[in-house]
Amino acid sequence: MEIIGYMAAILIGLSLGLIGGGGSILTVPVLVYLFGLETEQATLYSLMVVGTTSLTGVIGAYKRGQLDVKMSLMYAAVSVLIVVITRRLLLPLIPMELFTLGGFAVTKSIATMLLLAVLMLLAAISMIRKKQGAIETPASTHQHKGINIQLVMNAALIGFITGLLGAGGGFLLIPALVFVQHLPMKKAVGTSLLIITLNSLIGFLADAPGHTLDWTLLLGITAMAILGILLGGRLGRKISSAPLQKGFGWFVLVMGCYIIFLELVK
């Protein structure tokens, strides 16, 4: 199962390199079902994997001039704070067993995986419905503005999702950067990767001291994901991302449904 897990880690990075997002949402299921980690530990490990892998993508985006550092820092000013609050203050307050429904005990672990599965379904629908024209849209003539209430709300939501579920939330970030902040698509992808990097790595560093970490496993998975994003970056220059995005969206949709089934019947 670990061999399959490492292959899946490459797939996570590959999706980030090819379509700019979506792959990080698979990190926690890979860690839980293929590597046998507890859910809360998996969300912590995911922050390291997602953050480091995204950082690799940020370097490439910076070299290509597809990065709005100012916008990234404005988002991160809010979202990083929410990530840290969620990891250090909120998660410890959630009881291990939440409630019982018809004899079925809904635990913290089950609730986390079900929420992640719902997020996967939303991400999948977003990837499947996105049209080629939306991906290739030229730069908007509007310029993004400074911090506003919508930016703060979007950043807080991303921070909460990252802190609670260990997912980057790129499928929510990119539309917000394109349609609300008026960034060109390619710059929005690079900018979202920097926001995800800051959220994930700072969240990991804030929470890691309270946990015992298997660094061999963690660094191994991270290395495979980085290999994937490097391969994806090279392939992305040669092939269109639109059909790949739709195909990956269907894969994430199936996986989300499978996780819901698995958590409800076990």
Side-chain angles (χ1 to χ4, degrees):
M1 291 299 285
E2 284 195 2
I3 293 174
I4 298 173
Y6 285 118
M7 292 174 64
I10 295 176
L11 176 64
I12 290 166
L14 197 63
S15 72
L16 284 169
L18 282 171
I19 62 177
S24 66
I25 207 167
L26 294 175
T27 308
V28 169
V30 166
L31 291 168
V32 170
Y33 298 125
L34 298 181
F35 289 100
L37 270 62
E38 294 295 328
T39 303
E40 189 169 339
Q41 187 182 27
T43 62
L44 176 63
Y45 279 38
S46 180
L47 292 176
M48 171 67 173
V49 175
V50 171
T52 308
T53 307
S54 298
L55 178 59
T56 307
V58 168
I59 295 169
Y62 178 77
K63 290 179 179 178
R64 295 188 297 271
Q66 297 170 353
L67 184 63
D68 189 324
V69 176
K70 181 181 177 182
M71 179 59 62
S72 298
L73 294 178
M74 284 195 295
Y75 260 83
V78 177
S79 57
V80 167
L81 178 62
I82 300 300
V83 172
V84 174
I85 290 173
T86 301
R87 297 296 309 181
R88 296 302 301 268
L89 301 180
L90 179 61
L91 279 180
L93 293 177
I94 301 176
M96 295 304 295
E97 186 170 321
L98 299 177
F99 56 89
T100 302
L101 188 62
F104 178 75
V106 179
T107 64
K108 180 180 181 179
S109 175
I110 291 173
T112 300
M113 295 307 297
L114 289 177
L115 281 172
L116 183 63
V118 170
L119 194 66
M120 289 172 72
L121 297 183
L122 294 174
I125 292 169
S126 174
M127 286 186 278
I128 292 168
R129 294 180 62 184
K130 191 172 290 183
K131 305 296 184 182
Q132 176 70 29
I135 297 171
E136 303 297 338
T137 300
S140 170
T141 56
H142 296 86
Q143 297 296 317
H144 64 74
K145 298 178 182 179
I147 295 178
N148 53 53
I149 187 64
Q150 194 163 9
L151 185 152
V152 171
M153 292 176 65
N154 288 336
L157 176 61
I158 295 299
F160 179 70
I161 289 171
T162 302
L164 184 66
L165 304 176
F171 82 101
L172 293 172
L173 261 175
I174 292 174
L177 291 170
V178 171
F179 298 114
V180 179
Q181 303 302 326
H182 305 295
L183 292 186
M185 175 58 76
K186 289 185 178 180
K187 183 166 282 191
V189 170
T191 302
S192 74
L193 284 175
L194 180 53
I195 297 167
I196 291 168
T197 298
L198 294 171
N199 286 345
S200 301
L201 290 184
I202 295 175
F204 174 80
L205 292 173
D207 197 27
H211 298 264
T212 301
L213 305 177
D214 183 344
W215 283 102
T216 301
L217 175 64
L218 182 54
L219 293 177
I221 296 170
T222 303
M224 292 298 101
I226 290 173
L227 175 61
I229 199 171
L230 292 174
L231 291 173
R234 287 181 174 273
L235 291 173
R237 303 188 194 107
K238 302 176 182 178
I239 55 180
S240 172
S241 63
L244 292 171
Q245 180 168 273
K246 183 166 287 190
F248 187 72
W250 282 108
F251 175 71
V252 172
L253 183 68
V254 171
M255 289 302 300
C257 292
Y258 178 69
I259 289 172
I260 292 173
F261 170 78
L262 206 62
E263 292 298 322
L264 292 179
V265 301
K266 72 178 183 180

